[in-house]
Amino acid sequence: MIPAQGHAGERVAVLGLGRSGLAAARALRAGGAEPLCWDDNPAAREAAEAEGLLCTDLLRGGVLESASALILSPGIPHLYPAPNPVVAAALEAGVPLDNDIGLFFRSLATSDWASHDMPPRVVAVTGSNGKSTTAALIHHILGESGRDSQLAGNIGRGVFDIDPPGDGAVVVLELSSYQTELARALTPDIAVFTNLSPDHLDRHAGRGGYFAAKRRLFAEGAPDRAVIGVDETEGQFLSNQLSEARGDDRVIQVSVTRKLTSAGWHVFVRKGFLTEYRKGRQVGAADLRPVRGLPGAHNHQNACAAWAVARSLGLAPRVIESALHSFPGLPHRSQVVAESGGVTFVNDSKATNVDSAARALAAFPRIRWICGGLEKEGGLDALRGQTGAVVKAYVIGREAAAFAMQLDVEAEICTDMATAVARAAADAAPGDTVLLAPAAASFDQYDNFEQRGADFTAMVRRHL
């Protein structure tokens, strides 16, 4: 555990007692503060009280006013579409808002760091799609190279649950827009922006607000080096804003749509081959086509970003390439769960928006596509023209019929996962991929995308 600094002897309110909130409360207590905790879920309060944490209604008269800060969990809105009632009360009372990420960055460095030959480094990864895979891949490459690395944030452990990093260690964080938009301190050594596509628009009052939340990691975080995906306008703009000149190699541009060879530092993929250019000449390369854990252009973008980070940390190209081949991939993200009779079954339940689904559909040649769920804002129009590899769609979800009507491919309404898997597997021929890439949220039928992916995997195994 890392003790939270800066609040010793103070009361600090903590709203939301999930993984990150509970870890923040423990860290505050370890740092000498008195956390005042609350969660609307009685079970969460009971779990906190079992650890000796004080749970009290933060809206009760005088409680918030006695606190020096309010630490919010990521899912709790503080501005759009409307502030949570506790947040509204804190704003009225002038109580500063923060989250565990801001608290973590203010607490990480201690006096012990003066004895390190090489200070620990923090790599922070954000973006719409590929954050988890990129962060996990960076962590994997570092581990395979013998570097001390810990993975936390929006993946793995809460940031305060990691061990204090030692000499030359690296902390790799995946950060969502919910985390970057509110953190009062953002000071990564290396920051990564994968890409941007419409998501969480109600929470951020539109695409501009969503991008602004991501941009804070760079504009306010001032990393020593920024790795920026430039295949969307927002990434090009961010790269431009961070560069002092055309050859500024503090910014590493990443692309899977075009060759980048101008002045500066670039990592790009063309036809499955990753190439690194610096100051106008090639300095590294790798063939990604046989890398089983990273199929498709979207995963090649993740590989580019991870490569750029690893090179920034001093790793040699041959070391990075070797580590790429041993990366197993992440559950629910282009995860091969079975192969039978020449048919491959792939779980990409994390493809919860249209853009991530389109990327998954571009990764395989002949697809039996299982899709559907709780449709997100903006509809499915952006998928038109992206379904050339789809032989047939098998639609799940409570509104499966309405979802199917928006697709530009043959679609069968299955409603539930068991039916979809059975029908897709029965229709599949050797060379086909049965792909779960829902292009929708899971909450109409499942608690989360992990549960949906686990159901797909279970149904595949039952069928086989």
Side-chain angles (χ1 to χ4, degrees):
M1 175 192 289
I2 294 177
Q5 305 297 319
H7 291 286
E10 300 176 352
R11 288 181 149 197
V12 179
V14 178
L15 181 59
L17 296 172
R19 183 187 64 180
S20 64
L22 197 56
R26 295 189 196 108
L28 284 162
R29 182 172 60 183
E34 179 187 0
L36 307 173
C37 305
W38 185 255
D39 194 296
D40 290 339
N41 184 349
R45 298 198 300 270
E46 289 174 10
E49 288 170 340
E51 295 190 25
L53 293 165
L54 173 63
C55 289
T56 181
D57 186 352
L58 299 178
L59 290 176
R60 198 178 66 199
V63 174
L64 265 181
E65 288 78 358
S66 70
S68 63
L70 171 61
I71 306 300
L72 293 182
S73 289
I76 299 172
H78 63 273
L79 187 56
Y80 302 115
N84 177 278
V86 175
V87 175
L91 294 173
E92 185 67 27
V95 178
L97 306 180
D98 203 352
N99 60 16
D100 65 322
I101 301 303
L103 195 58
F104 168 82
F105 274 113
R106 295 204 310 274
S107 304
L108 183 60
T110 65
S111 58
D112 295 340
W113 284 28
S115 63
H116 292 329
D117 291 330
M118 184 185 300
R121 311 286 294 278
V122 177
V123 177
V125 181
T126 195
S128 294
N129 302 306
K131 298 186 301 296
S132 296
T133 298
T134 299
L137 182 55
I138 293 167
H139 174 62
H140 173 79
I141 292 169
L142 291 169
E144 290 293 292
S145 71
R147 292 286 293 271
D148 182 7
S149 173
Q150 297 183 80
L151 180 64
N154 203 42
I155 184 175
R157 295 177 287 176
V159 290
F160 280 108
D161 280 337
I162 68 172
D163 299 321
D167 196 351
V170 180
V171 177
V172 183
L173 303 179
E174 180 201 339
L175 300 181
S176 72
S177 58
Y178 290 7
Q179 294 168 309
T180 59
E181 69 175 341
L182 187 61
R184 284 179 170 256
L186 288 167
T187 54
D189 297 285
I190 302 173
V192 179
F193 176 86
T194 58
N195 50 63
L196 195 87
S197 61
D199 209 355
H200 311 304
L201 299 188
D202 58 336
R203 172 67 178 260
H204 300 293
R207 186 178 179 120
Y210 179 46
F211 175 55
K214 303 285 189 185
R215 184 177 179 272
R216 288 192 75 243
L217 182 63
F218 303 86
E220 300 189 28
D224 295 331
R225 178 153 283 129
V227 177
I228 309 292
V230 294
D231 288 336
E232 293 88 27
T233 303
E234 289 88 353
Q236 294 171 2
F237 176 79
L238 182 58
S239 173
N240 181 278
Q241 289 282 291
L242 296 173
S243 300
E244 293 295 331
R246 290 186 66 248
D248 189 350
D249 64 3
R250 293 174 303 171
V251 177
I252 305 177
Q253 293 187 336
V254 166
S255 176
V256 291
T257 64
R258 62 188 187 279
K259 190 174 181 179
L260 302 172
T261 58
S262 61
W265 198 346
H266 313 286
V267 182
F268 61 90
V269 169
R270 297 278 289 174
K271 298 181 179 180
F273 288 90
L274 180 149
T275 306
E276 177 188 358
Y277 263 75
R278 193 168 186 181
K279 297 180 179 178
R281 66 184 184 89
Q282 182 177 322
V283 294
D287 184 357
L288 299 181
R289 294 174 302 172
V291 179
R292 188 170 176 80
L294 296 166
H298 60 308
N299 277 310
H300 292 173
Q301 183 183 57
N302 302 332
C304 285
W307 178 287
V309 170
R311 293 287 281 144
S312 296
L313 293 170
L315 273 63
R318 58 179 177 77
V319 173
I320 304 170
E321 183 176 14
S322 176
L324 292 177
H325 284 275
S326 61
F327 180 63
L330 288 181
H332 316 297
R333 298 162 177 87
S334 296
Q335 176 193 16
V336 176
V337 297
E339 291 178 294
S340 178
V343 178
T344 303
F345 296 82
V346 177
N347 167 20
D348 203 339
S349 183
K350 186 61 173 66
T352 58
N353 59 43
V354 167
D355 187 70
S356 57
R359 290 167 182 251
L361 294 175
F364 306 98
R366 280 179 51 86
I367 297 172
R368 302 283 173 177
W369 178 28
I370 298 177
C371 58
L374 188 62
E375 189 177 324
K376 291 194 172 183
E377 183 178 345
L380 305 176
D381 286 348
L383 276 174
R384 293 187 177 276
Q386 307 293 318
T387 55
V390 176
V391 180
K392 184 178 177 181
Y394 305 81
V395 187
I396 63 172
R398 293 179 185 171
E399 303 297 330
F403 195 99
M405 289 179 64
Q406 299 181 65
L407 302 179
D408 59 352
V409 295
E410 179 188 353
E412 179 175 338
I413 299 169
C414 298
T415 307
D416 61 84
M417 187 68 74
T419 303
V421 169
R423 295 295 305 130
D427 292 346
D432 285 359
T433 296
V434 175
L435 171 68
L436 171 66
S442 59
F443 305 124
D444 60 333
Q445 292 182 312
Y446 302 95
D447 290 339
N448 48 54
F449 73 84
E450 293 96 339
Q451 190 182 86
R452 177 172 58 191
D455 190 26
F456 170 77
T457 302
M459 292 303 103
V460 169
R461 289 175 178 164
R462 178 185 296 178
H463 177 81
L464 295 182

